[in-house]
Amino acid sequence: MEQTVKTSSSDRCENIFLSGGGEMGKLIRAFDWENSALGAPETWPRSLCASLSIVLNSRFPMFIWWGEDLIQFYNDAYRPSLGNKGKHPTALGQRGEDCWTEIWPTIKPLIDKAMRQGEATWHENQYIPIYRNGRLEDVYWTFSYSPIMDESAIPAGVLVTCTETTETIFARKKIEQSESNLRSMIINAPVAMCILTGPSFIVELANKRMYELWGRTENELINKPIFEGLPEAGKQGLQQVMRNVYTTGETFSANELPVTLPRNGKPAITYLNFIYAAFRNGEGSITGVTAVATDVTEHVVARMKLEQTNEEFKFVTDFMPQMIWVTKPDGYHEFYNKRWYDYTGLSYEQTKDTGWNNVVHPDEQERSRQIWQQSLNTSEPYEIEYRLRRHDGVYRWFLGRALPLKDPAGVVLKWFGTCTDIDDQKRTTDLMEEMVKERTKDLREANARLIRLNANLQEITHVSHHDLQEPLRKIMIFSEIVMKENADNLNDGSVNHLNKVITAARRMSTALRDVLDFAALNKKHPFVDVDLNQVLSLVLTDLELLISEKAAKIISERLPVIQGVPAQMHQLFYNLLNNGLKFSRRECTPVINITCEKVTIRQQLESTERIAHKKFYEIKVKDNGIGFDPEAADKIFGMFQRLHSKEEFYGTGIGLALCKKVVANHGGSITAESKPGEGATFKIHLHC
């Protein structure tokens, strides 16, 4: 509603109402009101003066909006709510809308209700954020907006009485959050947990694991006294234990306590580890009991079975001929069988006190300790040969072994070890080793003699080659001279005979040269980088005349660079290409294809059962010649092996044997595949 505030001189107040009022009284008195919408205090209506006097002298937080502009006043008790670096002291004498822009849409309707309708309002713990302390803060208030009537009984202002409840709300929320966290922790706990409240221990909260432990559903127990829903537990003394915790606040704990609980509809003994602790409210008063329990039945039963098994283990091991021992994870021995005590003559106490120092030979003690410690550190099996002292002072050799027993997570639970008497075998082995040493010495000397003999043989081969080549050369030269000088006097038979002599001499010369080349392959040569493309280029140059005569085609892919002996690689490719050209078919143009690719070949390692996968270059030399019977695939690599007569194809039968020797020298292999009339394929494997 619209109103106009009129004041007469008799309605106006004097400044005496501004006396006192603490800090805000001083600020109001010092304020330049003459330049404000209200004017000088002497002109203010008595209703404002009276209200302001009450506000300034009250210790309860109060605030006034006055007039159409809602000019603001507040007391010292209200002042802290404005904070620092915020609205104070600007708020004093300021228009309400200018002061509270951030919450004006919220509070303006409440102000209007008091100013326009004359109705008071009450709000408890209302969330109204305000700007203070340099920022917009979350603030909660309990407040009342009441109209202030002027002399005409018309609302002229609004009196605000308020209390900031921010700390109370935050404290309540903190408690609620704490309770929520506690409930969440209990519900999601990896162990069984519950809260039982009151002297009758009503089930207020329990997680799934606890219901499973109780053997009851939530509907059967929630909000009910625990010992009414689970009477069998109360009969076993747990009710009295819980009552003592509730009355004294003392925590009670127990381990592996046998408790009869329902399991699959029947009572069964369950072993529990549990803790009963007093549950307190925010004021510290005991309101119930918190229970934490773990079902260790499987663990207890397993231990009982293990103890039974240990008795059986001891019974069995006492009859075994080996010494058997068991240690803890740290290596501390906790069990020896009867054989140990019979052999050492020691009692359990003597063994425990002195350990193995009185048993292991002094020369082996440090080595034994180091190997055992290494096994303990790595959890790897333990194995050693050492001498152990018998009760009569005699030392005998034993093979000591131990394996760790681990749980599913890989943690060592125990070590199980044996000591096996190997003294007789050891002495036999030592004797055999001496015999092997003598035999090795004899073999080394025999090998040295063989090396010298091989060197002599190579020298003889070299000398023989030169000594035989010279007579053959003379046979060929003089035979040709005889033919030329007596060409007119020789008949056809004589010429034919001389030609056969020359041909035979040439074959023998070639054979001697091939034998010398083959013998030279036994010499060791250092490996270097060999570009097989360059090797092939030189071979094609050497065979240029034969290739031209046969109009042959040599097609090759890019070949790799390998580690090898250049001269031997030249011999390999020369003989393979020469072989392909020699055994070509007359009815078609000779074509030789050379391809290469990387392959992986499974190989069994020497002296082991392990299989290794190695990379090789697979080089194929394929021709379209006359081919050969597949059954001769291995035979053709033998020395002086020929599949055709000398009259059909000229040759010594050494070329492919030389190829096989070259490939073997390089750690590779060579094979041949063919069928009559379909050409031949030579497959070479060389290390990458």
Side-chain angles (χ1 to χ4, degrees), residues 213-276:
L213 184 65
W214 286 332
R216 294 285 193 273
T217 65
E218 181 177 0
N219 291 334
E220 290 176 302
L221 293 178
I222 194 68
N223 297 325
K224 298 177 182 177
I226 182 62
F227 294 111
E228 288 184 11
L230 204 64
E232 54 267 47
K235 296 176 183 178
Q236 299 173 67
L238 296 181
Q239 187 171 7
Q240 183 58 43
V241 171
M242 197 175 295
R243 184 174 292 111
N244 185 64
V245 174
Y246 182 77
T247 55
T248 66
E250 296 179 359
T251 300
F252 176 84
S253 63
N255 291 323
E256 300 182 1
L257 184 70
V259 179
T260 300
L261 292 172
R263 290 291 181 269
N264 299 320
K266 297 180 180 179
I269 295 178
T270 304
Y271 293 90
L272 302 177
N273 291 347
F274 65 86
I275 297 174
Y276 288 163

Side-chain angles (χ1 to χ4, degrees), residues 315 421 503 653-654 678:
F315 179 79
D421 191 326
T503 300
I654 297 178
E678 296 183 9

